[in-house]
């Protein structure tokens, strides 16, 4: 997936340069088939301006929200508590 993002950004920038246009965040964004977060576009543009290349961009899976994490932990605690009670009842 990361190579697809890097390739899409590179192609967008190269197409703008081929047309004689100065790449900008807005122009790059308009050339992308799939939307990308602005910080990624800015990072790619800054790198291209300084070294004439687009860096490899890694896609990171978003972290679950605090509420989702708490709910998962509460469920895990309930499950472990039930299991502990079951094991303790076997010992008696």
């Amino acid at each position: 997936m990361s190579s697809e993002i890097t390739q899409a950004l590179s192609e967008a920038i190269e197409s703008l340069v081929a047309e004689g246009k100065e790449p900008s965040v807005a122009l790059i964004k308009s050339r992308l088939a799939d939307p990308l977060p602005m910080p990624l576009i800015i990072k790619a543009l800054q790198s291209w301006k300084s070294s004439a290349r687009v860096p490899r961009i890694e896609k990171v899976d978003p972290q679950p929200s605090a509420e989702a994490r708490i709910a998962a932990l509460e469920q895990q605690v309930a499950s472990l508590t039930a299991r502990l009670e079951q094991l303790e009842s076997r010992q008696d």
Side-chain angles (χ1 to χ4, degrees):
M1 183 68 161
S2 64
S3 63
E4 293 172 7
I5 294 171
T6 302
Q7 183 178 358
L9 287 167
S10 293
E11 289 173 358
I13 291 172
E14 289 169 9
S15 71
L16 291 166
V17 171
E19 293 175 11
K21 296 180 181 177
E22 177 69 23
S24 68
V25 173
L27 288 174
I28 293 169
K29 187 173 182 162
S30 70
R31 297 289 171 111
L32 296 172
D34 297 318
L36 290 176
M38 292 296 273
L40 289 180
I41 298 171
I42 293 168
K43 179 181 175 182
L45 181 59
Q46 288 173 339
S47 178
W48 178 81
K49 283 184 175 182
S50 67
S51 65
R53 69 176 192 84
V54 175
R56 180 178 171 166
I57 309 265
E58 296 289 332
K59 182 171 182 172
V60 178
D61 293 329
Q63 295 292 324
S65 68
E67 291 84 15
R69 291 176 51 208
I70 290 170
L73 288 171
E74 287 175 343
Q75 183 179 7
Q76 186 179 16
V77 168
S79 173
L80 291 172
T81 302
R83 187 172 175 194
L84 179 61
E85 289 172 357
Q86 185 182 29
L87 290 171
E88 286 176 343
S89 68
R90 286 185 188 170
Q91 277 188 329
D92 293 336

